[in-house]
Amino acid sequence: MKRMLIKHGTILTMREGEQPIAGDLLIEGDRILEVAPFIEQPADLVIEARGMAVIPGLINAHNHGAMSLLRAFSDDRKLMDWLEKKMLPAEARMTEEDVYWGTQLAIAEMIRSGTTSFADMYVYMDAVAQAVLDSGMRASLTRGLVFLEDDGGKRMQEGIDLIEKWSGAGEGRITTMLGPHAPYTCPPEPLHDVIALARERGIPLHIHLAETKEEIVKIREKYGQTPTEYLYHLGMFEQSHVLLAHAVHLTRRDLGFLRGMRGGVAHNPVSNLKLGCGIAPVMEMKKHGITVGLGTDGAGSATTLDMFAEIKAATWMQKLDTGDPTQLSAEEALRMATIESAKLLGIDHEVGTLEAGKKADVILIDLNQPHLQPVHNLASLLAYSANGSDVDTVIVNGKVLMRKRQLTTLSWEEVQKEAAGRAARLVHGL
């Protein structure tokens, strides 16, 4: 197997309590072989990392990649207005090829900003999977399931087909989940069926929860419950691993229902801020032992897929919300974007920290820039000052996807051309 040696970096493993290591990282095949102050081993590729931070690849725990084609198309609107008047009509025009190129655009942005894994919920998921396969990225894929009208089981079958066809593809880079869209789009009977199937086959679930106040009102009027109670009483949290996106509006009682759940919450602070949804009670969730990771949501709402923006927003929002600057430290926010998000995707045994035996998902961040000097505290510097554009090198599964800011598996010129033409067609006249 080929070996890659990263030399003279400042390595932040993201293992809890570990301080940065000045040293080297050795990769053999698709796995990390050693992390040490000095490694003297032959290698097929040596990457000089002097003046660079070496950290685990960032993990985007909730995204709708193909919505990158609708970036900045419908801003400064309330969520339901944004969704019903602009997003849904544009998405209704999408073809499978549109989804492929929209996902490639998202992947190009994610690679260029240091993301190595992402969770995606959308339609035409074969196209999304193919984009992941072609780019070398790692992803957890979910066919979004809306049950507001009878489609003869078509969506459900597509969700099952995705799991059966793509689980483990790309040398294990692709994993899958079942994706009931949200409590307000999934009535009790079909949602119960999805939960039962997930339990029977041991399939994880990915669902939106309590993103807006409007959702709270809808579910209360219809079922006399909060959205969290609704899912709890249908048995969603009994046995399955569940990835909850957003969880902005939770009551104290809701937090009790989520305590001890397998999986956890993907916090999407930039999207929540931009759509005026509110501030998720991250610190309360953490106090209840609920795993909280970070996601961007789709670029149609968040506009950016830069996880460094999410890291900043997450910690700033909690400090502001609690009035306490000690809340959600820089290191905690970085862990949310790495190992905690890995837990949500169910891949923390493989990625999320830099240590021997784990998959080689690694990014190098160039610290030789005015806004990243001097280096007093590396975690603080990365959480509060770094941007996606500071990422120099991206490695996934031991393969270099970007070196010196140049993509190696995608043609940016082709992606840009395809995305521009397709985006113009989707929004024409809307």
Side-chain angles (χ1 to χ4, degrees):
M1 285 189 285
K2 289 188 175 182
R3 285 186 168 190
M4 185 188 314
L5 182 58
I6 299 171
K7 294 287 293 181
H8 308 125
T10 303
I11 302 169
L12 192 58
T13 67
M14 296 317 305
R15 286 162 60 96
E16 194 164 10
E18 283 196 356
Q19 296 301 306
I21 302 165
D24 306 339
L25 186 148
L26 180 63
I27 296 167
E28 185 173 68
D30 61 358
R31 294 191 182 271
I32 297 169
L33 195 62
E34 186 179 2
V35 179
F38 180 75
I39 299 174
E40 187 62 49
Q41 293 276 359
D44 301 281
L45 174 64
V46 177
I47 295 178
E48 175 56 56
R50 198 181 304 274
M52 294 191 185
V54 182
I55 72 170
L58 305 180
I59 299 172
N60 184 340
H62 180 66
N63 194 4
H64 311 287
M67 286 185 75
S68 292
L69 294 178
L70 304 176
R71 185 196 318 273
F73 160 60
S74 176
D75 286 337
D76 307 323
R77 293 171 175 264
K78 289 185 180 293
L79 187 139
M80 289 303 171
D81 187 40
W82 164 86
L83 182 66
E84 293 170 1
K85 293 184 178 178
K86 291 289 187 175
M87 288 296 124
L88 291 179
E91 287 180 316
R93 297 176 176 179
M94 279 193 182
T95 65
E96 192 162 3
E97 282 198 349
D98 293 334
V99 169
Y100 175 84
W101 287 107
T103 304
Q104 288 290 46
L105 178 62
I107 287 173
E109 181 183 359
M110 286 190 281
I111 294 173
R112 293 260 296 175
S113 54
T115 292
T116 55
S117 305
F118 67 106
D120 200 270
M121 178 193 286
Y122 214 58
V123 296
Y124 295 123
M125 292 306 294
D126 281 347
V128 176
Q130 191 62 53
V132 172
L133 204 66
D134 294 345
S135 66
M137 279 281 272
R138 191 181 305 280
S140 168
L141 304 181
T142 308
R143 202 295 185 197
L145 304 173
V146 173
F147 298 110
L148 292 179
E149 70 282 332
D150 184 7
D151 67 349
K154 179 175 179 289
R155 291 187 185 91
M156 187 68 170
Q157 190 58 52
E158 287 177 358
I160 294 169
D161 290 345
L162 170 73
I163 292 164
E164 293 179 344
K165 180 178 179 180
W166 290 101
S167 294
E171 303 84 41
R173 288 183 287 109
I174 295 177
T175 56
T176 56
M177 297 188 185
L178 275 172
H181 173 261
Y184 63 92
T185 57
C186 295
E189 187 174 341
L191 184 52
H192 180 271
D193 291 343
V194 174
I195 293 168
L197 180 64
R199 184 185 303 124
E200 176 189 326
R201 298 198 186 183
I203 301 168
L205 293 162
H206 183 172
I207 186 170
H208 297 83
L209 175 69
E211 184 177 0
T212 66
K213 290 179 180 177
E214 289 88 345
E215 177 184 340
I216 307 302
V217 172
K218 278 186 180 181
I219 299 299
R220 176 68 69 187
E221 289 177 347
K222 206 163 190 179
Y223 306 112
Q225 300 171 318
T226 68
T228 305
E229 287 177 295
Y230 175 70
L231 298 184
Y232 176 82
H233 289 300
L234 283 170
M236 179 168 281
F237 309 121
E238 289 176 6
Q239 295 181 33
S240 297
H241 178 108
V242 184
L243 195 171
L244 299 170
H246 301 293
V248 176
H249 300 285
L250 301 181
T251 66
R252 195 176 296 273
R253 194 157 178 259
D254 289 338
L255 291 166
F257 289 133
L258 298 181
R259 184 195 290 271
M261 70 174 292
R262 294 170 57 191
V265 171
H267 178 40
N268 302 268
V270 172
S271 177
N272 294 160
L273 277 171
K274 191 161 168 285
L275 290 172
C277 295
I279 300 176
V282 170
M283 301 315 297
E284 287 301 312
M285 286 190 265
K286 288 167 70 68
K287 285 176 186 175
H288 280 75
I290 300 163
T291 298
V292 185
L294 277 179
T296 59
D297 210 358
S301 59
T303 309
T304 178
L305 302 182
D306 184 347
M307 284 288 287
F308 284 100
E310 303 295 336
I311 291 166
K312 291 182 186 68
T315 183
W316 291 343
M317 285 168 71
Q318 295 308 305
K319 294 176 193 306
L320 177 64
D321 193 42
T322 61
D324 183 353
T326 69
Q327 297 297 297
L328 199 62
S329 70
E331 184 173 349
E332 285 179 296
L334 288 172
R335 283 179 59 82
M336 285 172 66
T338 51
I339 185 61
E340 302 303 311
S341 282
K343 292 175 184 176
L344 298 185
L345 273 60
I347 56 175
D348 51 300
H349 61 296
E350 295 279 37
V351 298
T353 57
L354 300 181
E355 54 187 297
K358 282 204 168 181
K359 292 285 189 178
D361 287 14
V362 187
I363 65 174
L364 278 61
I365 300 164
D366 184 4
L367 302 176
N368 296 301
Q369 307 186 61
H371 65 285
L372 295 177
Q373 291 292 324
V375 184
H376 293 301
N377 181 299
L378 184 59
S380 288
L381 200 64
L382 296 177
Y384 301 135
S385 295
N387 303 302
S389 57
D390 300 322
V391 177
D392 176 90
T393 299
V394 173
I395 300 162
V396 176
N397 230 35
K399 182 176 182 179
V400 177
L401 305 192
M402 183 174 77
R403 182 79 181 103
K404 296 186 182 299
R405 300 290 300 157
Q406 297 301 308
L407 298 171
T408 62
T409 58
L410 299 177
S411 164
W412 168 237
E413 291 75 17
E414 183 180 19
V415 172
Q416 185 180 30
K417 179 181 176 183
E418 289 282 354
R422 293 171 187 280
R425 191 193 84 252
L426 292 177
V427 304
H428 181 71
L430 293 179

